[in-house]
Amino acid sequence: MINTIMKLFNLEHKIINDIETISVDNEIFVIISLKKRLSKCPVCGSFSDLTHDYRQRTLNHAILNGKTTHIIYNRRRYRCTSCSKVFAENNPFVSSGRRLSRYTIIRIMKMLKDPRVTFSMASDIVNISITSVLRIFDEYAGISTTSFPTVLCIDEVYTSKYRQ
């Protein structure tokens, strides 16, 4: 069972410390802890493995059709031995500051390649808001937006006055 979960989430045995699945109604929760390892401090660049604390993060991971999948990730935070700054460990699930997994973002972009799929259809499939799908599309599609000019002139025409 664990091997199937590892393949499903594209994980390697050497980085996983503990993995557990819980199924409730139409939702699946996967609780994951990563193994402790040396991490580089983003401030000073020195390596540290001194654990400061753990924080649970709930991540959306739309991997199964018809079931909402969440990763409950026990994120380890390290304290740098040189500069005493606290920083989070790197993980294979999400980029920093995100709650959607990388796989979910890739899946949304693959769905939107099909011209028949609308933003609302994609949001229903992966169980996120339409606004989030729009933000993902704007960020990853590579289409630059046109900015408004500094002066905008609009002519008003009253056609109701001039009926002929």
Side-chain angles (χ1 to χ4, degrees), residues 131-149:
T131 309
S132 296
V133 173
L134 286 168
R135 264 192 234 116
I136 290 168
F137 181 77
D138 287 342
E139 185 176 345
Y140 293 100
I143 301 170
S144 60
T145 58
T146 308
S147 60
F148 282 117

Side-chain angles (χ1 to χ4, degrees):
M1 174 76 172
I2 291 177
N3 288 334
T4 307
I5 295 169
M6 300 285 268
K7 287 180 185 176
L8 190 63
F9 288 94
N10 197 21
L11 299 171
E12 300 174 8
H13 283 284
K14 64 183 180 182
I15 66 168
I16 298 297
N17 187 27
D18 187 32
I19 190 165
E20 180 184 346
T21 59
I22 299 169
S23 180
V24 178
D25 294 330
N26 216 16
E27 293 183 307
I28 297 174
F29 296 93
V30 180
I31 303 166
I32 297 177
S33 304
L34 300 178
K35 286 186 179 176
K36 189 175 184 178
R37 59 181 180 226
L38 277 174
S39 293
K40 187 176 181 179
C41 175
V43 177
C44 68
S46 64
F47 288 91
S48 176
D49 65 347
L50 178 64
T51 303
H52 177 68
D53 65 354
Y54 292 88
R55 299 270 172 102
Q56 276 194 347
R57 293 191 64 197
T58 303
L59 313 170
N60 291 335
H61 189 71
I63 196 163
L64 300 171
N65 285 335
K67 291 206 177 226
T68 305
T69 310
H70 300 285
I71 296 175
I72 299 174
Y73 165 53
N74 293 317
R75 182 177 72 170
R76 182 179 290 114
R77 295 185 344 140
Y78 294 106
R79 178 180 298 279
C80 180
T81 53
S82 299
C83 65
S84 298
K85 295 291 182 183
V86 177
F87 59 95
E89 69 181 339
N90 292 329
N91 66 74
F93 312 115
V94 294
S95 303
S96 75
R98 294 249 182 203
R99 295 226 179 247
L100 287 175
S101 69
R102 291 180 181 125
Y103 178 80
T104 304
I105 293 170
I106 291 169
R107 185 171 180 204
I108 289 169
M109 291 305 291
K110 283 184 179 179
M111 280 191 283
L112 292 176
K113 282 171 65 175
D114 187 358
R116 295 174 297 204
V117 176
T118 63
F119 293 119
S120 63
M121 288 170 60
S123 72
D124 290 341
I125 292 170
V126 297
N127 295 320
I128 61 172
S129 69
I130 298 170
T131 309
S132 296
V133 173
L134 286 168
R135 264 192 234 116
I136 290 168
F137 181 77
D138 287 342
E139 185 176 345
Y140 293 100
I143 301 170
S144 60
T145 58
T146 308
S147 60
F148 282 117
T150 55
V151 177
L152 183 64
C153 181
I154 299 173
D155 290 335
E156 295 181 13
V157 178
Y158 297 100
T159 58
S160 61
K161 290 183 179 179
Y162 302 106
R163 291 188 187 192
Q164 295 178 358

